[in-house]
Amino acid sequence: MPSYIPAVGQADIAIHNGSRTEIKRFDAVVSAAGANTLIAAVAGKKFLLRSLSLRALGSPVAVHFKTQDSNAPLLGTDAAHPQALDKTSTTAPAQIILPSNSDGWAATAAPNKALEIVLGAAEAVAVLGSYIEID
């Protein structure tokens, strides 16, 4: 009798360094000034961002990404070089989209740390994306 393996959708699995890994997703509306956790820390793992979308929902706001407890730049942004968002597109783009990238856009700097988005003011920003956990 043949044995059957349950099918897994191609969109659910990625190959990274020769190993199968699950593609995970996050979505949030963040509005607190300062650091906001997007992906909680996982023991022994870093996060490789595969896609990302940001959309301003309120007044203009500066945002940047970071690994928890680190000020190292992530996605070309840091406290000194944030990305501006403006719902009206008057002073900055209203939305930024990094489409699916199987090689990833950026990885967090250290294992056991959360991925955070930092808002320069208490303005709402919608964030969604996908990632894989890596060693």
Side-chain angles (χ1 to χ4, degrees):
M1 176 177 266
S3 89
Y4 294 94
I5 299 172
V8 175
Q10 289 181 345
D12 298 326
I13 300 296
I15 303 298
H16 181 75
N17 290 338
S19 298
R20 289 170 48 104
T21 185
E22 181 182 358
I23 298 171
K24 298 183 176 185
R25 292 161 181 81
F26 61 91
D27 65 272
V29 174
V30 294
S31 59
N36 297 270
T37 299
L38 292 176
I39 307 170
V42 174
K45 298 294 184 178
K46 297 188 290 185
F47 305 117
L48 178 66
L49 290 174
R50 293 174 49 100
S51 65
L52 181 69
S53 173
L54 301 170
R55 180 154 186 83
L57 301 175
S59 296
V61 64
V63 303
H64 70 275
F65 294 88
K66 70 184 197 78
T67 303
Q68 176 187 7
D69 301 328
S70 170
N71 290 318
L74 186 63
L75 291 168
T77 65
D78 60 20
H81 305 95
Q83 171 62 55
L85 293 173
D86 180 355
K87 181 174 96 171
T88 65
S89 297
T90 304
T91 61
Q95 183 170 357
I96 296 173
I97 298 174
L98 299 178
S100 184
N101 177 352
S102 60
D103 292 326
W105 290 101
T108 51
N112 309 323
K113 302 291 182 182
L115 170 67
E116 298 176 336
I117 183 171
V118 181
L119 302 184
E123 295 296 337
V125 175
V127 186
L128 60 96
S130 64
Y131 67 98
I132 59 173
E133 297 174 358
I134 60 174
D135 296 322

